[in-house]
Amino acid sequence: MLRRHRIATMALAIGLSALPALAATDRPAPTPSAQQLLLKSRASEWRRPDPDNLLVMQLRTGRVLIELAADFAPLHAANIRTLAREHYFDGLAIVRVQDNFVTQWGDPASDDGGDPGKLRPLGKASRTLPPEYTRPFDPKLPWTALPDGDPYAPEVGFSEGFPVARNPASGQEWLVHCYGMVGAGRDIAPDSGNGSELSAVIGQAPRRLDRNLAVIGRVIEGMPLLSGLPRGPGPMGFYADPAQRITIESVRLASALPATRRPAVEVLRTDSATFAALIEAQRNRHDAFYAVPAGRTDLCSIDVPTREVPADGRSP
Amino acid sequence: MLRRHRIATMALAIGLSALPALAATDRPAPTPSAQQLLLKSRASEWRRPDPDNLLVMQLRTGRVLIELAADFAPLHAANIRTLAREHYFDGLAIVRVQDNFVTQWGDPASDDGGDPGKLRPLGKASRTLPPEYTRPFDPKLPWTALPDGDPYAPEVGFSEGFPVARNPASGQEWLVHCYGMVGAGRDIAPDSGNGSELSAVIGQAPRRLDRNLAVIGRVIEGMPLLSGLPRGPGPMGFYADPAQRITIESVRLASALPATRRPAVEVLRTDSATFAALIEAQRNRHDAFYAVPAGRTDLCSIDVPTREVPADGRSP
């Protein structure tokens, strides 16, 4: 929303550079920017995703990294690992981009007339899976609560890097369909999903899907490659013309790649002090540009940062 | 999230066709789909936007329609009308697409070194405007309240087709930065916006901007032309390479177009019975696919429908 020709003020407003506190006498120092907070983070606040939970999806335009939420959807994670090991996704495609909803990929033969005989075989992967829409609350998992309420759930926060809602009354918790979260497509039957068709949220969080679909992970790098695509013309956003589909060159588990080709990325721990500071900065942002801090945040407006690790393996 | 090769079940789940109620004995009839509800709407529940409040932005790829929120940002609306009448925007460009945030358009000279002398003159339009971030609550404006709470504001709902928050304690109300809402760019000074640079929300609602920026209207048609663009490479999403910019062919008020070229669109009244039914269907969606209705909604998950009117002027 800022104009760019005021470079100095822009840097002040969005905090791209470390700036001294304003000398104003009657207002607090500006809220630190995300970048400022991350620069002060400690190495121990970052984690390398387990390479068995890290999917590397290669498109012609670049790399999409998806971290599997193995503690929330363990059976789906295991099935997707099997599919990746079988190179199931190689040569399949992004088949649907529905504005303000999802980008979906899988077997294009699903769209071409419905002949099950034309579908790519799932190999050793299961054709059906228990739903895994919710899971019993596990007090051993880390929990970073958000304090501002949520229209949909009694409690929301972060656990193991993922946005989570939970209901103490039912004893259940579940992954939330925030921007960048990945869900497993299914037919009507709750057990008809198997992870062979996936979709990432590219718009306002479609919370009505919570507890109705298995969320299997989160895109931790490469969202623009999924979100910045032409929308499909129909009401559900399918690419009516097969030529519009975007081919998936390959999907591999990071653990199946040679060490030199494994993504060197770290994710900020959501139970770290720096993540807590990021939440507070988002809630109470006040600086030269933001005169009125919201004082609040919603779950899906909090981004969990990822960073590249230099090739020498040391943190930046 | 649904696979497409089950066409029959897909139609059932998303309600693309009118289907008889399920014969199940122990569950209620499926929630009607948006399309089903809209087919039953009455002509009087739709309105033609005032042609003096309807901007027609022509891109090579198609037409984007923006309805100005003249009751919420009257000075910005008037200034934008002046700019459109002067053909100010013709030949300017989309200069920024930041993932999960905004698509922004305006004078590319703002990005090219900051020489104010190179900026296109604003003509008779004002260079500065009062902020218009909030307005005093007006009980004469229609109000459709949402019942499920909001993390950011005491009350949220719809007024005159726009998502609105309000605070009875302060007596203020304001437009909310939902998907598709359009804001006026500014520098640091609150009065430095003038409507010559605009941006539309293309991701999770950035509610931290509420009350910090003048929201001037809503994209009522053509969002995919703004959201389905490659993201700019930098942290703020500016197109570093000028060749990436997307030229704006023209921006006109509908009132300035010959009658035959005026957009024939209608917007569902947000104080209509059909809109209330859409909200309820969104809150309590239950059908073969949605086994667990959310029972709730958030403001920015409610879409205000637009439809084309046939050339003969009669409603479809």
Side-chain angles (χ1 to χ4, degrees), chain B residues 12-282:
Chain B
L12 176 65
I14 66 160
L16 281 178
S17 56
L19 291 160
L22 288 176
T25 53
D26 57 348
R27 56 168 66 184
T31 310
S33 71
Q35 180 148 341
Q36 288 171 326
L37 291 169
L38 293 178
L39 281 172
K40 292 195 298 182
S41 65
R42 290 175 296 124
S44 61
E45 295 184 300
W46 297 82
R47 62 184 173 84
R48 294 281 290 256
D50 181 337
D52 272 333
N53 287 332
L54 186 58
L55 285 179
V56 183
M57 178 160 74
Q58 193 67 43
L59 305 173
R60 186 186 54 76
T61 48
R63 181 180 82 174
V64 176
L65 300 182
I66 298 166
E67 184 173 19
L68 297 173
D71 282 330
F72 288 84
L75 300 172
H76 282 76
N79 221 42
I80 291 167
R81 283 188 208 108
T82 300
L83 291 167
R85 289 192 183 110
E86 292 172 352
H87 301 184
Y88 168 82
F89 293 99
D90 298 15
L92 300 184
I94 294 172
V95 294
R96 175 192 186 194
V97 183
Q98 182 172 354
D99 194 47
N100 196 14
F101 192 35
V102 295
T103 290
Q104 180 173 319
W105 59 97
D107 189 345
S110 297
D111 304 339
D112 292 339
D115 178 356
K118 292 184 180 170
L119 294 173
R120 182 174 294 197
L122 298 184
K124 292 179 180 167
S126 296
R127 277 130 198 83
T128 61
L129 288 176
E132 297 190 308
Y133 302 163
T134 68
R135 51 158 287 153
F137 171 62
D138 180 352
K140 292 192 301 295
L141 294 186
W143 177 250
T144 302
L146 288 187
D148 301 317
D150 178 80
Y152 293 92
E155 298 179 1
V156 293
F158 287 86
S159 188
E160 300 193 306
F162 301 103
V164 173
R166 61 190 202 182
N167 184 350
S170 70
Q172 297 290 304
E173 61 185 339
W174 57 91
L175 294 177
V176 170
H177 284 84
C178 294
Y179 196 90
M181 294 298 282
V182 179
R186 64 168 169 91
D187 296 324
I188 294 297
D191 69 352
S192 58
N194 53 44
S196 66
E197 183 175 84
L198 298 170
S199 54
V201 172
I202 61 164
Q204 178 72 15
R207 300 288 301 275
R208 66 187 182 279
L209 288 171
D210 291 357
R211 297 181 292 161
N212 283 294
L213 211 68
V215 182
I216 61 89
R218 186 174 79 91
V219 176
I220 63 169
E221 183 186 298
M223 267 307 290
L225 305 182
L226 302 177
S227 60
L229 295 171
R231 277 46 182 157
M236 290 180 72
F238 280 93
Y239 285 146
D241 176 2
Q244 292 184 288
R245 295 173 187 155
I246 290 119
T247 301
I248 296 169
E249 297 186 351
S250 63
V251 173
R252 295 286 181 278
L253 282 171
S255 57
L257 294 173
T260 54
R261 288 184 49 219
R262 285 191 194 175
V265 296
E266 292 181 329
V267 180
L268 187 66
R269 293 181 189 277
T270 48
D271 55 348
S272 67
T274 293
F275 189 68
L278 284 170
I279 292 172
E280 279 311 297
Q282 169 88 357

